[in-house]
Amino acid sequence: MLVSMKEQLKDAYLNGKAIYQFNINNLEWIKYILEECNNQSKPVILGVSSSAAKYMCGYKNVYSMVTNLLDSLNITIPVSIHFDHASDIEECKKAIDAGFTSIMLDYSSHSVEENIKYTNELINYINGRDILVEGEIGPIKEGSHADLNDCIKYVKNANVDILAASIGNIHGIYQGEVNLDFDLLKSIKENINKPIVLHGASGINEPMLKKCVSLGVSKININTDLQLAWYNGVRKGIAENPNVYDPRKVIGFGEQALKECIKEKLSLF
Ligand code: G3H
Ligand code: ZN
């Protein structure tokens, strides 16, 4: 069933747990993710980047695909549709109007003042509707650590529901060791008193993820690990079945590997 991310997070936040955001790319990925999360009876946030929304022919089409699949696959777990890393307010409005249940506004490469201004513009557009807003102080990239005072200022002046802050996490494949700043995470949590999102969680091991959750992370974003799992499954399938050219079968070679990866992630929390 489609729900507000606020509802999903409240449960995770109050119980010191975390909920996963898995990013989607096409019809098959939506199906595989929904089926596996439903099998494991775990709620899920479907993350949609702006480029993924374009690839899937727009927000309305994404919303329709997700809601139709919820129905046709008899999905009973709580599912939300989240616009991930939005960097354009007009795009956010389109996603909201299409039915998305939450928006992440990523103005982290702008000044904190601009970030506050645009986040408030988004909150005004939402105008009390049950749509969660995620903000970011970062940016999330190599060598970036969020400024604690910026986090405090941002949350004080733009009433986001959840904050993404850079603590040494990066998107994509980590080059070398993962080095997260747990002290910074702890200070941010103590000072903002709101749930925190861990972006770039692919490649972060179980003890580190668990430590993040114990220090206030309530949402964990995974994309790259799913892509790698699916890609390896497809490559193996093609290598073992060189005569198969039906696109449904070729895409499907990645299904089991993707589902295994999701199952493993879900088993942690
Ligand atoms: O917003 C999406 C995530 O932060 C995914 O990051 O691709 O490194 O798992 P990842
Ligand atoms: Zn991210």
Side-chain angles (χ1 to χ4, degrees):
M1 112 203 76
L2 188 70
V3 298
S4 146
M5 203 221 283
K6 283 190 183 177
E7 205 177 295
Q8 293 176 306
L9 267 181
K10 195 160 78 187
D11 184 47
Y13 187 59
L14 294 177
N15 295 301
K17 291 191 273 184
I19 178 161
Y20 279 102
Q21 172 189 311
F22 295 132
N23 282 52
I24 57 174
N25 294 291
N26 56 22
L27 177 79
E28 288 81 359
W29 276 56
I30 302 171
K31 178 174 183 278
Y32 303 156
I33 293 171
L34 288 178
E35 282 178 341
E36 191 54 35
C37 293
N38 203 53
N39 275 344
Q40 304 301 325
S41 302
K42 295 280 172 70
V44 68
I45 297 160
L46 299 177
V48 185
S49 65
S50 164
S51 59
K54 270 194 197 90
Y55 181 80
M56 290 183 272
C57 304
Y59 306 99
K60 282 187 189 165
N61 198 40
V62 174
Y63 179 83
S64 299
M65 285 201 289
V66 171
T67 50
N68 288 335
L69 284 173
L70 289 178
D71 184 41
S72 59
L73 299 172
N74 291 318
I75 301 297
T76 52
I77 49 159
V79 175
S80 60
I81 313 178
H82 178 69
F83 187 11
D84 194 29
H85 290 286
S87 57
D88 180 335
I89 293 285
E90 294 311 312
E91 289 290 305
C92 293
K93 291 178 185 172
K94 283 186 200 162
I96 291 168
D97 295 346
F100 277 48
T101 50
S102 52
I103 307 282
M104 176 206 188
L105 189 66
D106 181 357
Y107 268 68
S108 59
S109 53
H110 296 241
S111 68
V112 70
E113 288 76 19
E114 270 186 313
N115 200 347
I116 290 167
K117 180 177 158 225
Y118 287 106
T119 307
N120 280 324
E121 189 180 326
L122 174 64
I123 292 172
N124 285 341
Y125 185 76
I126 290 173
N127 193 21
R129 284 176 282 177
D130 197 11
I131 294 167
L132 175 141
V133 176
E134 177 180 329
E136 176 173 316
I137 297 290
I140 289 163
K141 61 175 191 187
E142 190 73 49
S144 164
H145 286 231
D147 181 275
L148 177 60
N149 290 326
D150 282 353
C151 293
I152 297 169
K153 187 172 178 185
Y154 179 62
V155 168
K156 198 173 157 214
N157 292 287
N159 191 21
V160 289
D161 301 287
I162 185 163
L163 180 73
S166 59
I167 55 163
N169 45 331
I170 60 154
H171 290 118
I173 300 174
Y174 285 81
Q175 306 297 332
E177 263 180 46
V178 180
N179 197 357
L180 300 182
D181 189 341
F182 294 113
D183 290 337
L184 177 60
L185 173 59
K186 190 164 179 275
S187 312
I188 295 172
K189 173 69 193 161
E190 283 168 359
N191 281 280
I192 69 165
N193 205 21
K194 295 234 179 210
I196 294 174
V197 188
L198 183 68
H199 280 252
S202 294
I204 299 182
N205 64 28
E206 180 177 344
M208 278 189 168
L209 283 180
K210 289 198 162 154
K211 188 157 185 185
C212 286
V213 173
S214 75
L215 293 174
V217 164
S218 304
K219 174 172 174 272
I220 297 175
N221 288 9
I222 303 272
N223 186 23
T224 302
D225 275 351
L226 299 189
Q227 294 186 338
L228 291 171
W230 176 82
Y231 173 69
N232 288 330
V234 170
R235 284 188 64 143
K236 186 166 174 280
I238 291 173
E240 288 170 356
N241 304 274
N243 297 324
V244 171
Y245 54 85
D246 178 337
R248 292 166 296 183
K249 290 187 179 149
V250 173
I251 293 172
F253 284 144
E255 175 176 354
Q256 278 322 310
L258 180 61
K259 286 183 168 174
E260 279 305 315
C261 181
I262 291 170
K263 187 175 171 186
E264 195 190 313
K265 304 280 178 202
L266 292 175
S267 72
L268 303 187
F269 299 103

